Amino acid sequence: MSPCRYFPVWGPLEKFAPAFVAGVPSLVKPASQTAYLTARMIELIIESGLLPEGSIQFLAGGVGDLLDHVTPQDLVSFTGSASTARKLRAHPAIVRNAVRFNAEADSLNLSVLGPDATPDTAEFALYVKQLVTEMTVKAGQKCTAIRRAFVPAELVDDVIEATNARLAKVTVGNPTSDGVRMGALASLEQREEVRRSIKALVDSGSIVYGDPERVQVVDADAERGAFLSPVLLRADPDRAEPHQVEAFGPVSTVLPYTSVEHVVELAARGEGSLVGSVVTADTGFARDVVLGIAPWHGRVLVLNDDDAKESTGHGSPLPQLVHGGPGRAGGGEEMGGIRGVLHHMQRTAIQGTPAVLSAVTGRWVPGAPRHEGVHPFRKSLAELKIGDTVVAGPRTVTRADIDHFAEFTGDTFYAHTDETAAAANPFFGGIVAHGYLIVSFAAGLFVSPEPGPVLANYGLENLRFVTPVKPGDELTVTLTAKQISPRENADYGEVRWDADVTNATGESVAKYDVLTLVAKTA
Amino acid sequence: MSPCRYFPVWGPLEKFAPAFVAGVPSLVKPASQTAYLTARMIELIIESGLLPEGSIQFLAGGVGDLLDHVTPQDLVSFTGSASTARKLRAHPAIVRNAVRFNAEADSLNLSVLGPDATPDTAEFALYVKQLVTEMTVKAGQKCTAIRRAFVPAELVDDVIEATNARLAKVTVGNPTSDGVRMGALASLEQREEVRRSIKALVDSGSIVYGDPERVQVVDADAERGAFLSPVLLRADPDRAEPHQVEAFGPVSTVLPYTSVEHVVELAARGEGSLVGSVVTADTGFARDVVLGIAPWHGRVLVLNDDDAKESTGHGSPLPQLVHGGPGRAGGGEEMGGIRGVLHHMQRTAIQGTPAVLSAVTGRWVPGAPRHEGVHPFRKSLAELKIGDTVVAGPRTVTRADIDHFAEFTGDTFYAHTDETAAAANPFFGGIVAHGYLIVSFAAGLFVSPEPGPVLANYGLENLRFVTPVKPGDELTVTLTAKQISPRENADYGEVRWDADVTNATGESVAKYDVLTLVAKTA
């Protein structure tokens, strides 16, 4: 895994965590400019002794012929420039072995201001504040930074005025000095590169804040340090440059738009981005823009006065959320909860008898062998095995039971109480028992009441009432241990049971999973 | 999408179906040798008028600069040789635009005979029959065909003898003639290629059935037609050739192995396969081999006397199952149920307030606005909106209710009936109400009993009892329409409701989804 130079700590950890959970060792190869920080972090991790030996490894500088040796069981994960991503993606060994390759490249991320967000609104202030944050945090050297600021045409002047006012308060200089809000770029070459990009952008518009050649700095030398003023541009959205030229520094371009359709069409010209944000209190506008731009984005944030306090903001990937975007953004996907872990694993379809599938997965599946004997509620987690079963019943459901249940619970729905109305129901054709009555009676049949290893029923899953139960029907329940999951650091674990309630003809009337907590020892 | 020459009908359809379900048009570019069959199928599809115009398109022959124009919104799906897959994967436009690329390449698929499957067993016969089928169907020109037949060392002679006996019955010749079991290869060049591969394989072992240069044919010219005898080899598994050289014709190699660990290690030398099969009646052996070889396979079939009748066999991909394999098999994934559809779509993480998430997804999420008013059970599917809510209660749960429910249902679990024992339970600390009582009382509160648009409660999902209910607790239930799914071709649809049962302090005691069928009109 190769994190980018701008996130020498978060970058490798974001990639390492899902790999580690998947049981896969990681080799971290950071960008050389900031490798010393990554190295120190890895040292601290290794010193902690928390991780198994070899689970995280480190390599700085040139990698020699390392990539020639990747195998189909490897995954190469890269964050950085689109051009390096391309080189790696087409590397002969990666291509030859169909090695999983994940790229996360910087892109022309956007932020859209809603037409409702006039200068007097909270959303207007949020938009401007977020834009300035994204321009200036890490001096705008973030793959998620806002490069295209889409603003309703009639609000462009207001947005520029408000943004300029905030930018004017961004003191540039030595970050250790009081009051300094933005430091230098990563290198002098980087500054030259950003200046070149700004020149290209100026072709399509004009600079409305800052001077790329001049900046006032505090406690530093503006020329010897790679300092750069924040630069805000205003451009014609029909020109190609604002959608294609990325100035990887404290630079953003304000672009006017005239309608939802217009901004959706303009968004697509970026050809794939990591993240977009929509700042609006208008839910309908948010919906339309989100649905329009989602095909080109890995993540979309809708920001308004209601979620601003909780929001981690435009620029922050989160472990639960997919990070990565299509096209220019690299076409990759990292994180996204358990998906991030599964990216490191092989998905294999297994075909076989239920007995084989149960043996392979460690989870009982319908049709696999059942074992009757001691009531499984009398068995501790250590004794219980998948397939352990109790069959209980039959119990006849009478009309009196249904009447009484309706009266006792208050559930007097006509299908349980009114013969004529129930007969007209398209599914029942007469009085039927309550579903809740069926599962209650089933519990009455399968439960083993005395204190023992089963501590609690904490839920049900996937309950389906598949055949109506009529007065006079006899119910039998078959309860089978399906999945046994001991908890670490607890003296109990979860047991999932397969419950199948059948009638006298053997048809299932209800199927569900019963979730219980069971003690590890008796 | 470019299906391989050997599946001119199934190939494009397998790729088209998930794309169509995803709403994505397909351009089919078949291999030239068998394009006329694909063309005829597409003609029939278009003539049927069943599909929207443009949803399936056809291009035969050279594609010109077509691939230079693929965009980040495209997916290129290829089935064929590993070398063409490599060329496509590294195509500049595919690399530049991070175009989704799926390859499904032929690979050195294996079949493992279990040590239990001695010649007197059903599994032995199944193994031999399947091996001959895979060698001879389509003259062995299948990307899923068995190339490596792993056999316990002590059974190798028996397997070869039985396989040879079956192969001797495979009549080669003009497929329209009676009794012919195997036709010609796709072309004379293909035959030359297979002969070359057999020569390479002979270096590591010997031919035990067939002569690559000579075959008796029925009603055809053995030289002018690309006819080839089935060829069975026996080889040293420690040589590289059997794991690397694929003879894409009626050719397979028997390889001895000595233990589970040995066959797992040998399997990996194929460097990635589409499918493997394990033929055994020993569930433990099946489990160990499946878990050992799964990281190198897209699909694994365990075949025995119990599932043989139902099994579609080693060579058949199924819509529900992943098709594709790591490494040499192309590193791709097709089908696999809904996954096959999602491969054509962009996964985008959306952040926003519950109101925004509800508006974007069309599904009510907790925290989104609720609307009280007319009881939502009085509203037809046409009138109901997500967020429509009824709040009902409170109802006090008394000790007498709990006693009565225990007696009536038979669920006399100690936590509901025995104060002393319940007090010792680590979660309850005293008598608690049955979970089934809580949901039954909740239904009694939220139900609107008269006949109306709500037709049936067909299930519950995700039920969790999150706080114990003690005698004297007051229950209130909030039921909110969460998802509304009209059915096509029916006068009703599904409504999923969010149910939240709370106590007097407002804590949730039970949370679940109620699933109902609701009429489209009142």
Side-chain angles (χ1 to χ4, degrees), chain A residues 299 302 349 351 404 461 464, chain B residues 299 302 351 404 461 464:
Chain A
R299 180 165 62 89
V302 179
Q351 296 171 278
H404 176 67
E461 291 271 12
R464 291 293 182 282
Chain B
R299 181 165 61 88
V302 179
Q351 296 172 277
H404 176 68
E461 292 270 11
R464 290 292 183 283

Side-chain angles (χ1 to χ4, degrees), chain B residues 193-206:
Chain B
E193 175 63 33
V194 174
R195 282 174 173 162
R196 272 195 299 276
S197 297
I198 293 171
K199 279 211 181 73
L201 287 168
V202 166
D203 284 349
S204 65
S206 57

Side-chain angles (χ1 to χ4, degrees), chain A residues 200-245:
Chain A
L201 288 167
V202 166
D203 284 349
S204 65
S206 56
I207 292 175
V208 294
Y209 183 89
D211 180 341
E213 304 297 333
R214 227 174 312 275
V215 59
Q216 217 182 347
V217 301
V218 172
D219 192 20
D221 181 324
E223 273 317 295
R224 290 182 56 211
F227 293 100
L228 187 72
S229 167
V231 172
L232 188 69
L233 297 103
R234 169 184 195 147
D236 175 355
D238 283 327
R239 293 291 298 258
E241 294 86 351
H243 308 288
Q244 290 176 6
V245 177

Side-chain angles (χ1 to χ4, degrees), chain B residues 117-408:
Chain B
T118 48
D120 54 324
T121 62
E123 284 72 27
F124 184 91
L126 286 167
Y127 182 85
V128 169
K129 185 179 172 197
Q130 175 171 274
L131 177 57
V132 171
T133 300
E134 291 294 318
M135 286 176 71
T136 56
V137 167
K138 289 183 182 263
Q141 300 165 110
K142 291 200 316 178
C143 55
T144 51
I146 298 167
R147 303 296 170 199
R148 297 184 291 160
F150 287 109
V151 174
E154 66 278 13
L155 296 176
V156 164
D157 290 335
D158 294 316
V159 165
I160 289 174
E161 188 185 332
T163 307
N164 287 357
R166 280 193 87 95
L167 286 173
K169 294 184 200 152
V170 175
T171 310
V172 179
N174 182 338
T176 64
S177 291
D178 278 354
V180 166
R181 292 264 311 277
M182 193 173 97
L185 299 193
S187 68
L188 292 170
E189 297 73 36
Q190 177 74 12
R191 181 171 65 182
E192 279 319 298
E193 175 63 33
V194 174
R195 282 174 173 162
R196 272 195 299 276
S197 297
I198 293 171
K199 279 211 181 73
L201 287 168
V202 166
D203 284 349
S204 65
S206 57
I207 292 175
V208 294
Y209 183 89
D211 180 341
E213 303 298 333
R214 224 173 313 275
V215 60
Q216 217 180 347
V217 299
V218 173
D219 191 21
D221 181 322
E223 272 318 295
R224 288 181 59 210
F227 294 100
L228 187 73
S229 166
V231 172
L232 189 68
L233 298 103
R234 169 185 195 146
D236 175 354
D238 283 328
R239 293 290 299 258
E241 294 86 351
H243 309 290
Q244 289 177 5
V245 177
E246 186 187 27
F248 204 75
V251 184
S252 198
T253 303
V254 176
L255 299 160
Y257 75 88
T258 54
S259 66
V260 168
E261 295 69 30
H262 189 214
V263 77
V264 164
E265 188 267 313
L266 293 172
R269 295 196 199 172
E271 297 195 329
S273 301
L274 292 172
V275 56
S277 56
V278 186
V279 188
T280 180
D282 178 341
T283 303
F285 176 81
R287 179 196 60 225
D288 293 346
V289 174
V290 169
L291 294 178
I293 71 175
W296 291 97
H297 284 82
R299 181 165 61 88
V300 178
L301 164 68
V302 179
L303 192 65
N304 60 31
D305 198 33
D306 287 341
D307 67 355
K309 282 216 184 74
E310 286 180 67
S311 177
T312 51
H314 174 102
S316 304
L318 291 173
Q320 307 90 323
L321 304 179
V322 162
H323 182 47
R328 176 164 182 148
E333 188 187 295
E334 294 182 316
M335 303 198 288
I338 192 66
R339 293 177 61 79
V341 176
L342 296 176
H343 292 148
H344 293 273
M345 304 176 83
Q346 170 66 29
R347 181 176 298 266
T348 306
I350 312 290
Q351 296 172 277
T353 63
V356 166
L357 297 181
S358 291
V360 169
T361 62
R363 183 172 169 153
W364 184 88
V365 297
R370 291 184 158 108
H371 317 289
E372 289 183 66
V374 176
H375 192 295
F377 276 26
R378 308 315 324 157
K379 293 186 181 178
S380 70
L381 217 58
E383 298 159 325
L384 194 67
K385 293 200 163 34
I386 59 165
D388 283 352
T389 297
V390 54
V391 180
R395 172 171 185 168
T396 302
V397 178
T398 65
R399 176 68 197 263
D401 287 332
I402 300 170
D403 289 347
H404 176 68
F405 193 78
E407 191 270 327
F408 175 57

Side-chain angles (χ1 to χ4, degrees), chain A residues 71-73 85-87 89-90 94-98 100 271-272 283 286-287 290-291 294-304 306-307 311-313 316 318 321-322 324-328 330-331 333 339 346-353 355-356 359-360 377 395 400-402 404-405 407-415 418 421 425-428 435-437 439-441 443-452 454-466 492 496 512 514-515 517, chain B residues 71-73 85-87 89-90 94-98 100 271-272 283-284 286-287 290-291 294-304 306-307 311-313 316 318 321-322 324-328 330-331 333 339 346-353 355-356 359-360 377 395 400-402 404-405 407-415 418 421 425-428 435-437 439-441 443-452 454-466 492 496 512 514-515 517:
Chain A
T71 79
Q73 299 279 305
R86 276 174 216 150
K87 258 183 241 165
R89 191 188 299 277
I94 289 177
V95 168
R96 182 175 66 247
N97 293 321
R100 296 151 197 237
E271 299 195 327
T283 303
R287 179 195 59 225
V290 169
L291 294 177
W296 290 98
H297 284 81
R299 180 165 62 89
V300 178
L301 164 68
V302 179
L303 192 65
N304 60 29
D306 287 341
D307 66 355
S311 177
T312 50
S316 304
L318 291 173
L321 304 178
V322 163
R328 177 164 181 148
E333 188 187 295
R339 293 178 60 80
Q346 169 67 28
R347 180 175 300 265
T348 306
I350 311 289
Q351 296 171 278
T353 62
V356 166
V360 169
F377 277 26
R395 172 172 185 168
D401 287 333
I402 299 170
H404 176 67
F405 193 77
E407 190 269 326
F408 175 57
T409 65
D411 182 351
T412 55
F413 190 64
Y414 73 92
D418 180 336
N425 179 291
F427 303 109
F428 301 139
Y436 301 104
L437 174 61
V439 293
S440 298
F441 277 12
L445 292 172
F446 69 61
V447 85
S448 170
E450 287 73 36
V454 174
L455 302 171
N457 166 16
Y458 70 92
L460 297 185
E461 291 271 12
N462 309 321
L463 171 59
R464 291 293 182 282
F465 302 115
V466 287
Y492 60 91
R496 176 184 289 260
Y512 49 107
V514 178
L515 311 178
L517 299 175
Chain B
T71 79
Q73 299 278 305
R86 276 173 216 150
K87 259 182 238 163
R89 191 188 298 278
I94 290 178
V95 168
R96 183 176 64 247
N97 293 322
R100 293 150 199 240
E271 297 195 329
T283 303
R287 179 196 60 225
V290 169
L291 294 178
W296 291 97
H297 284 82
R299 181 165 61 88
V300 178
L301 164 68
V302 179
L303 192 65
N304 60 31
D306 287 341
D307 67 355
S311 177
T312 51
S316 304
L318 291 173
L321 304 179
V322 162
R328 176 164 182 148
E333 188 187 295
R339 293 177 61 79
Q346 170 66 29
R347 181 176 298 266
T348 306
I350 312 290
Q351 296 172 277
T353 63
V356 166
V360 169
F377 276 26
R395 172 171 185 168
D401 287 332
I402 300 170
H404 176 68
F405 193 78
E407 191 270 327
F408 175 57
T409 64
D411 183 352
T412 55
F413 191 65
Y414 73 90
D418 180 336
N425 180 292
F427 303 109
F428 300 139
Y436 300 104
L437 174 61
V439 292
S440 299
F441 276 13
L445 292 171
F446 68 62
V447 85
S448 170
E450 288 74 37
V454 174
L455 302 171
N457 165 16
Y458 70 92
L460 297 185
E461 292 270 11
N462 308 323
L463 171 60
R464 290 292 183 283
F465 302 115
V466 286
Y492 60 92
R496 178 184 286 260
Y512 49 108
V514 178
L515 311 179
L517 299 175

Side-chain angles (χ1 to χ4, degrees), chain A residues 339-406:
Chain A
R339 293 178 60 80
V341 176
L342 296 176
H343 291 149
H344 293 273
M345 302 176 84
Q346 169 67 28
R347 180 175 300 265
T348 306
I350 311 289
Q351 296 171 278
T353 62
V356 166
L357 297 182
S358 291
V360 169
T361 62
R363 182 171 170 153
W364 184 86
V365 297
R370 289 184 159 108
H371 317 290
E372 289 184 66
V374 177
H375 193 295
F377 277 26
R378 307 317 321 158
K379 293 185 180 178
S380 69
L381 216 60
E383 297 160 326
L384 194 68
K385 293 200 164 32
I386 61 165
D388 283 353
T389 297
V390 55
V391 180
R395 172 172 185 168
T396 302
V397 178
T398 65
R399 176 69 197 264
D401 287 333
I402 299 170
D403 289 347
H404 176 67
F405 193 77

Side-chain angles (χ1 to χ4, degrees), chain B residues 496-513:
Chain B
R496 178 184 286 260
W497 306 81
D498 182 86
D500 186 14
V501 185
T502 50
N503 60 23
T505 66
E507 265 182 315
S508 289
V509 302
K511 286 169 160 289
Y512 49 108
D513 288 358

